[in-house]
Amino acid sequence: MSKRPTPIQRSAETGPGPASRTLAAFIFASRWLQAPLYLGLIVAQAVYVVLFFVELWHLIENVISTGHISETDVMLSVLALIDIVMIANLLIMVIIGGYETFVSKIRVEGHHDEPEWLSHVNTNLLKVKLAVSIISISSIHLLKTFIEVGRMDEGVVRNADGSVLYSTEGVMWEVGIHLAFIVSALALAWIDRMNQHHAAAPQGGLSAGRIEAGLRGDGGAEAVAQAADRAVDDGDFVTVRVPAGTQLPPGFEVVSSDR
């Protein structure tokens, strides 16, 4: 004779227990460990500000001391300044976007200086913008290299002390790395676009916004009526408020507010 199995006892309590909630709160609060990292990036940006003015002073000093400076030297100095600015922009994007995404909301809605991209920032968008910024910085370095290549002799460019500054092989590596950055940025942008395509809501469904647009004449009242007929056949109902006296398409019903 077989022994009757003991029934499984299930707890009547719902939701996580105190220990689980405490652990979850602790894990969620651990995101603040990233805050010192962003503060460190702010310090790094301050260093770049100092470096920018040092480079600018060197440019002014060369012009004053020599009384004449070649266009190539001016262009290289300006490209160095632009390079610093681009890196500073990259730092700002990482600091603000990373803090907003991974730590806490900055809450600057409605501020006249709010960045346009901050309102819809996410990890994919941040990756794409960072990749574009890296390409811009790489382009500045590559342009400086192309300017120096103009005085290449026997496949190398030497400094005043005779050391090799650029070589044919080094330039080719720089071009290859720059192309790799471009391919990576295109891949990230394609992935972001695919994510947006899959997350987009179906266009043919019935919604309050679609009904209101159709009643205003923006979306086509006939198309809205057809969508409403399909929704009613499926047992779905959507309630919208429209101004009194609005001409309703067939299939719509006016109900009282207490119904």
Side-chain angles (χ1 to χ4, degrees), residues 86-135:
M86 296 297 295
I87 296 178
N89 293 340
L90 179 61
L91 284 173
I92 282 291
M93 193 176 304
V94 173
I95 293 170
I96 297 179
Y99 185 89
E100 173 85 10
T101 304
F102 300 107
V103 180
S104 180
K105 297 296 182 182
I106 299 181
R107 296 179 178 87
V108 291
E109 292 83 358
H111 195 280
H112 61 278
D113 290 332
E114 178 187 2
E116 181 182 357
W117 53 270
L118 188 60
S119 60
H120 52 277
V121 66
N122 52 50
T123 54
N124 290 331
L125 179 64
L126 191 60
K127 289 178 183 178
V128 173
K129 287 188 172 294
L130 290 179
V132 173
S133 298
I134 292 174
I135 291 174

Side-chain angles (χ1 to χ4, degrees), residues 17-30:
S20 179
R21 291 195 300 268
T22 302
L23 180 60
F26 176 75
I27 293 175
F28 183 66
S30 66

Side-chain angles (χ1 to χ4, degrees), residues 193-214:
R193 183 174 181 181
M194 292 296 294
N195 290 335
Q196 292 179 357
H197 176 73
H198 289 299
Q203 300 296 324
L206 183 65
S207 64
R210 182 172 173 83
I211 294 175
E212 293 173 359

Side-chain angles (χ1 to χ4, degrees), residues 104-230:
S104 180
K105 297 296 182 182
I106 299 181
R107 296 179 178 87
V108 291
E109 292 83 358
H111 195 280
H112 61 278
D113 290 332
E114 178 187 2
E116 181 182 357
W117 53 270
L118 188 60
S119 60
H120 52 277
V121 66
N122 52 50
T123 54
N124 290 331
L125 179 64
L126 191 60
K127 289 178 183 178
V128 173
K129 287 188 172 294
L130 290 179
V132 173
S133 298
I134 292 174
I135 291 174
S136 301
I137 296 172
S138 177
S139 300
I140 298 299
H141 282 270
L142 201 58
L143 183 57
K144 292 169 62 178
T145 300
F146 289 163
I147 294 175
E148 293 285 0
V149 165
R151 57 189 184 91
M152 181 174 288
D153 184 20
E154 296 182 355
V156 295
V157 177
R158 300 184 181 275
N159 286 318
D161 57 359
S163 60
V164 177
L165 181 61
Y166 294 104
S167 65
T168 303
E169 183 180 359
V171 173
M172 294 302 296
W173 272 109
E174 287 191 19
V175 173
I177 293 173
H178 181 71
L179 293 177
F181 286 152
I182 294 177
V183 172
S184 300
L186 291 176
L188 289 174
W190 179 77
I191 293 174
D192 181 58
R193 183 174 181 181
M194 292 296 294
N195 290 335
Q196 292 179 357
H197 176 73
H198 289 299
Q203 300 296 324
L206 183 65
S207 64
R210 182 172 173 83
I211 294 175
E212 293 173 359
L215 295 176
R216 292 195 306 267
D218 300 335
E222 182 178 355
V224 174
Q226 294 176 359
D229 291 338
R230 292 195 302 270

Side-chain angles (χ1 to χ4, degrees), residues 56-78:
L56 183 60
W57 171 250
H58 286 166
L59 175 60
I60 298 175
E61 186 180 22
N62 289 336
V63 174
I64 295 177
S65 61
T66 61
H68 174 73
I69 187 172
S70 65
E71 182 181 356
T72 301
D73 293 335
V74 173
M75 188 177 300
L76 291 174
S77 298
V78 171

